[in-house]
């Protein structure tokens, strides 16, 4: 990802007649596989994935290109945070961001995990979707791990509660069924100029994407040791004269015991997290990366408006 477009600033691209451009909101219960599906549709990584629920926080956009009947199609994918019962301020901000992502979309894609289902979180979502005007698509995920009959029964059950225009069965992990879904979504996009240049795959600034990649490593390496209440704050993002990028980030945790976990014995754990994040960032950005991490204990960070804005979330009371 090497575009230099200013953060969150759509730029028109020169397009041929008959081009299409539209927005697809990807919603679902936490951990349904939304980020993985967005990455599949785009064809490269733009959103972090984790086995831990509720890892997506900001409204990360993926921009997928497709060709339909000889015309270029640009699909702007809004990878929303998992919608769930909000308790803390952070939860409320994430849910607010999710619904904002669905507004004015040309299609709303509901992704469902047929194995876990999470019905207590799925049912309120179905009720809210039933009365929304957008064109709704049901996508049942994990066909590579689920049995056919229960999946068909689940799809029939959900279709009885919401007027879905179409239903698809895919594996976001393996890509099975994704090309057919992408074809269908492209056909739903209205004619219009592209909103972003052809080589841009996300509207997330590289600064924010870098913080997300580090946070993904926190989850992957610490698993259940580190609770959900941690954040990665971008502090400095600078291109050096040799073309490499220098990145400084602050890992924020709520308690001193969590700080010790992130650091590890003799700083071993944070070195491992930094090395893995640095490797992936170099691959994503296409240049050498110098990553500097430090950990700060801040008991009430989830009540800090500045931290929320740095994470790309709106301050929700």
């Amino acid at each position: 990802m090497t575009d230099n477009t200013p953060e969150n600033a759509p730029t028109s691209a020169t397009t041929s007649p008959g081009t299409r451009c539209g927005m697809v909101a990807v919603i679902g219960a936490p951990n349904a596989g939304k980020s993985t599906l967005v990455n599949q549709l785009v064809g490269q990584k733009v959103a972090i994935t984790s086995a831990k629920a509720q890892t997506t926080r900001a409204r990360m956009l993926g921009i997928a290109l497709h060709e339909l009947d000889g015309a270029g199609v640009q699909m702007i994918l809004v990878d929303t945070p998992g919608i769930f019962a909000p308790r803390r301020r952070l939860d409320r901000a994430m849910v607010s961001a999710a619904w904002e992502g669905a507004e004015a979309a040309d299609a709303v894609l509901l992704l469902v995990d047929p194995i876990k289902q999470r019905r207590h979180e799925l049912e309120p979502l179905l009720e809210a979707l039933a009365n929304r005007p957008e064109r709704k698509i049901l996508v049942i995920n994990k066909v590579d791990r689920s049995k056919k009959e229960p999946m068909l029964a689940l799809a029939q059950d959900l279709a009885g509660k919401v007027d879905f225009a179409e239903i698809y069965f895919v594996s976001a992990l393996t890509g099975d069924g994704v090309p057919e879904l992408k074809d269908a979504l492209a056909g739903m996009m209205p004619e219009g100029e592209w909103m972003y240049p052809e080589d841009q795959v996300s509207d997330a600034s590289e600064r924010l994407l870098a913080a997300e990649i580090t946070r993904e490593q926190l989850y992957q390496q610490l698993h259940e040791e580190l609770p959900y209440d941690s954040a990665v704050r971008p502090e400095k993002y600078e291109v050096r004269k040799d073309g490499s990028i220098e990145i400084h980030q602050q890992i924020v945790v709520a308690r001193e015991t969590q700080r010790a976990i992130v650091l590890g014995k003799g700083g071993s754990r944070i070195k491992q997290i930094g090395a893995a994040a640095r490797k992936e960032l170099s691959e994503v950005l296409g240049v050498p990366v110098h990553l500097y991490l430090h950990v700060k204990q801040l008991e009430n960070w989830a009540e800090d408006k500045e931290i929320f804005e740095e994470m790309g979330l709106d301050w929700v009371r």
Side-chain angles (χ1 to χ4, degrees):
M1 190 170 126
T2 56
D3 84 280
N4 295 311
T5 307
E7 183 173 351
N8 297 325
T11 305
S12 294
T14 303
T15 54
S16 56
T19 56
R20 294 170 176 256
C21 183
M23 184 175 291
V24 181
V26 184
I27 67 174
N31 212 11
K34 297 178 293 296
S35 296
T36 305
L37 180 61
V38 166
N39 291 338
Q40 279 280 4
L41 289 167
V42 173
Q44 70 181 77
K45 183 166 187 168
V46 292
I48 75 164
T49 58
S50 169
K52 193 173 179 71
Q54 304 165 11
T55 51
T56 302
R57 289 184 179 169
R59 286 163 297 188
M60 302 288 282
L61 294 190
I63 302 165
L65 302 181
H66 200 57
E67 189 168 303
L68 188 69
D69 300 328
V73 184
Q74 186 173 74
M75 291 172 279
I76 300 159
L77 304 162
V78 188
D79 179 30
T80 59
I83 295 176
F84 53 96
R87 293 181 296 276
R88 303 169 301 165
R89 186 191 299 276
L90 177 62
D91 299 338
R92 294 194 294 274
M94 289 168 64
V95 172
S96 174
W99 281 121
E100 280 181 30
E103 289 174 9
D106 297 291
V108 177
L109 187 159
L110 173 64
L111 189 65
V112 177
D113 178 344
I115 301 171
K116 295 180 180 176
Q117 293 193 27
R118 302 178 75 103
R119 296 300 290 235
H120 63 294
E121 289 159 321
L122 187 57
E123 291 297 336
L125 187 51
L126 291 166
E127 290 174 16
L129 270 180
N131 299 316
R132 293 186 71 87
E134 298 90 358
R135 188 170 185 176
K136 296 174 278 283
I137 312 298
L138 174 62
V139 179
I140 306 294
N141 193 14
K142 302 186 179 178
V143 296
D144 54 321
R145 295 172 50 197
S146 309
K147 292 184 178 178
K148 185 176 179 180
E149 289 74 17
M151 279 198 303
L152 292 173
L154 175 62
Q156 188 173 12
D157 175 35
L158 300 181
K161 299 179 179 182
V162 176
D163 183 20
F164 290 108
E166 295 183 42
I167 300 173
Y168 289 87
F169 298 84
V170 309
S171 169
L173 187 63
T174 67
D176 189 20
V178 174
E180 293 80 4
L181 172 62
K182 193 171 182 179
D183 272 339
L185 291 173
M188 296 173 197
M189 300 299 102
E191 289 192 5
E193 293 271 328
W194 285 5
M195 291 175 62
Y196 294 90
E198 185 174 354
D199 60 351
Q200 189 169 341
V201 296
S202 173
D203 89 326
S205 70
E206 292 177 356
R207 179 184 173 100
L208 180 58
L209 181 64
E212 288 288 282
I213 285 174
T214 299
R215 193 160 63 87
E216 181 178 32
Q217 285 301 323
L218 276 175
Y219 288 137
Q220 288 185 353
Q221 296 200 32
L222 295 175
H223 305 292
E224 299 304 317
E225 292 179 69
L226 186 68
Y228 175 58
D229 50 352
S230 61
V232 178
R233 303 177 69 179
E235 293 185 321
K236 180 181 177 183
Y237 189 101
E238 186 176 89
V239 179
R240 293 182 175 180
K241 289 182 180 180
D242 63 1
S244 64
I245 297 174
E246 181 177 328
I247 300 172
H248 292 250
Q249 296 170 343
Q250 180 186 89
I251 299 172
V252 184
V253 294
R255 293 188 293 278
E256 189 60 35
T257 52
Q258 296 169 349
R259 183 173 182 273
I261 290 171
V262 176
L263 288 172
K265 188 175 181 180
S268 59
R269 187 56 66 94
I270 195 170
K271 286 178 183 175
Q272 292 172 1
I273 291 167
R278 185 183 304 110
K279 182 176 183 293
E280 183 163 351
L281 279 165
S282 295
E283 292 172 359
V284 171
L285 299 173
V287 295
V289 170
H290 312 275
L291 179 62
Y292 301 91
L293 303 176
H294 68 104
V295 188
K296 183 173 182 179
Q297 185 260 329
L298 192 62
E299 186 175 352
N300 296 316
W301 72 263
E303 297 297 318
D304 190 318
K305 182 180 180 182
E306 185 180 341
I307 293 178
F308 270 58
E309 289 173 347
E310 288 171 355
M311 288 162 48
L313 288 171
D314 294 325
W315 183 249
V316 177
R317 297 200 171 275

